[in-house]
Amino acid sequence: MTDPPGETPMTVAEEIEVTLEVGQQKDLPAEPAARGEGAEREMHAILEIGVRGHGGAGLAGGQAPGGGPALAEVLIVDTSRSMLYPAAKLRAAKDATVAAVRLLPEGTAFAVLSGHFHADVVHPGPDRAALAVAGPAERAAAAQAVRILDADGGTAIGTWLDLARRLLKDHPAPVKHVLLLTDGRNEHDHRAAMSLDTALDACEGRFVCDAWGIGEDWDAELLLRITRRLHGRAGAVREEAELTAAYEELVTGLLGTAVPELRIRLTPTPGTVIRQVKQVVPGEQELLPAGGDGRGTEYVTRAWGEEVRHFQVVLAADPTGRDRGEDLQLAAVEVVVPDFGHPVRLPRPRPVLVRWTDNPLDASRRHPGVHRQELYQQASAAVARAYRAWLRGTDGRDTADRELARALELAGELGDGHLLDALRRIEDGPGSGRIRTGLKDVDWQHLILSSAMTTPPHHPAAGPPPDPEVPPAAADLAECPDCGWLGPADSVYCGGECGRRLSGPSA
């Protein structure tokens, strides 16, 4: 990728690097599971994709390489009547929104909306068709407009998102982001000019949306429904006073965006079918096909900072007539980053392999990342069952306790401290496995959000990258017994074509 005309060439230190690792257990049974069933088998693989900025400024500079704004931001404040009870909610929403506006870099395109039965443009104003451009005067005017907001009416979030979509629709900024705050449960969706389902259909792929809850009556499943469709993250504060710091942290993270859009391209071999692609870390999110090059199919992910995400790919293939015990390629995985004016170093394509086997022991092994995701799904389901049982009062108490104990057991097996802490907030004493008395519904909503977050398995902290001019000593290398790949001695997975696990319980 070359620098645009007139731009100062970027140094290697400023280059963005994308990494890709494919983890899988290749062995699949070659025989059908039962009489009358098809022979098609599913291969589950985990893609570990990372982005490193190497000192780049992200969006903090305010301008895209071509000269336009790097970020277009819409801040949506819930101004339904319930925000007045207690009044601290609306005050916190105003303080946090003003803090977020003040953090926007010079030149950032932005707007502030208020949401109730419908949505209004608070700044730059209802008679302004374009977004405001951040500068001292615009920030001050936006803060003043936010400070005089009042609350009335109901909650119809579909109309709020649709207005954000219309404001952002033709804007050229590489990153378009919406930050939505609500204290309610979208009770007036049936009366709205646009339902939430219709709005999500219209908004998907148009911008990234983070959704936050405040107060004691927000709905975790609603926030997750919005953010899973719009590639964002859901969060909430326990105390109103925490919102400003949460907003400042979120906007600061947004300004560290290194890659506006990253695409996963899967090119299956003849006879292979792509069944599913979904993000599994830092949260589960289904990815839908978004075109391709005629051979491969692309899946879009958005707004990457310097981070690592995991994705689960499910491929189906028929072993009939295929050789046993040999590595066969099911698909090629490639990472594509559309040009946004910065140099990006991409990894080489990697294969997803299969080895058809008649050995049931070999075929029973699963990749640790796949197993980990299954444990998270079980923990989240246990939390949901515990909540539903708790809603039944004394009739559901035994079931709620049993499901809480199960969720605690799974969180311990996962080694997820964040989830364990969230579960212990509703436990009646450490180790009791029983739900404490006096819980409020909002306590469960926080737990549901926590159970939707996932973390990768812990790996030892990596040291500085090796000097490419200095070959490592032979004693510092590990050799893969399957494909002969040589890599660092502490490698957990093979970096060659087979991708097998080299260390740990499944090695």
Side-chain angles (χ1 to χ4, degrees), residues 270-438:
T272 300
V273 177
I274 303 171
R275 291 288 188 221
Q276 186 182 46
V277 179
K278 64 178 178 180
Q279 177 182 289
V280 293
V281 175
E284 188 167 312
Q285 184 176 90
E286 191 80 17
L287 301 184
L288 299 177
D293 60 0
R295 296 181 304 110
T297 303
E298 294 183 353
Y299 298 81
V300 179
T301 67
R302 301 182 190 279
W304 286 69
E306 294 195 42
E307 60 180 308
V308 175
R309 301 183 195 174
H310 291 194
F311 302 85
Q312 185 171 349
V313 172
V314 182
L315 304 173
D318 186 344
T320 304
R322 306 306 296 270
D323 292 334
R324 306 291 201 266
E326 294 185 10
D327 287 351
L328 303 173
Q329 182 167 312
L330 291 180
V333 183
E334 188 177 359
V335 174
V336 178
V337 175
D339 186 8
F340 65 105
H342 283 282
V344 179
R345 179 149 46 101
L346 296 174
R348 60 183 177 83
R350 300 293 301 274
V352 178
L353 304 172
V354 67
R355 184 164 50 208
W356 301 112
T357 178
D358 296 317
N359 186 329
L361 181 60
D362 289 342
S364 68
R365 291 183 295 182
R366 288 173 298 172
H367 184 267
V370 175
H371 177 60
R372 187 174 180 81
Q373 180 58 21
E374 291 171 351
L375 294 181
Y376 270 114
Q377 290 173 339
Q378 294 171 25
S380 182
V383 167
R385 290 192 297 268
Y387 173 53
R388 289 195 298 268
W390 176 83
L391 290 173
R392 301 193 339 248
T394 54
D395 290 344
R397 183 61 185 260
D398 289 345
T399 300
D401 286 346
R402 185 167 58 252
E403 295 297 342
L404 172 65
R406 175 61 176 153
L408 283 162
E409 178 187 358
L410 290 164
E413 186 175 350
L414 286 162
D416 189 324
H418 174 82
L419 180 54
L420 278 170
D421 287 345
L423 288 163
R424 287 168 179 158
R425 280 179 174 267
I426 70 167
E427 187 183 16
D428 187 20
S432 71
R434 296 189 305 273
I435 292 170
R436 66 178 173 87
T437 58

Side-chain angles (χ1 to χ4, degrees), residues 78 82-86 88-90 181-185 187 212-220 223 236-240 387 390-391 436 438-446:
D78 185 337
S82 59
M83 287 290 286
L84 295 173
Y85 308 101
K89 281 193 293 188
L90 187 58
L181 175 73
T182 183
D183 75 331
R185 294 178 177 261
E187 297 104 330
W212 278 70
I214 188 173
E216 295 191 350
D217 198 35
W218 51 273
D219 181 356
L223 301 186
V237 291
R238 293 183 180 274
E239 302 292 338
E240 286 84 356
Y387 173 53
W390 176 83
L391 290 173
R436 66 178 173 87
L439 285 178
K440 298 179 180 179
D441 191 87
V442 69
D443 296 315
W444 287 97
Q445 301 307 318
H446 281 285

Side-chain angles (χ1 to χ4, degrees), residues 1-4 10 14-16 56-59 63-65 70 174 257-260 337-345:
M1 185 178 297
T2 59
D3 295 289
M10 292 233 174
E14 294 172 310
E15 182 182 57
I16 295 166
L59 303 181
Q63 298 293 312
T257 298
V259 174
V337 175
D339 186 8
F340 65 105
H342 283 282
V344 179
R345 179 149 46 101

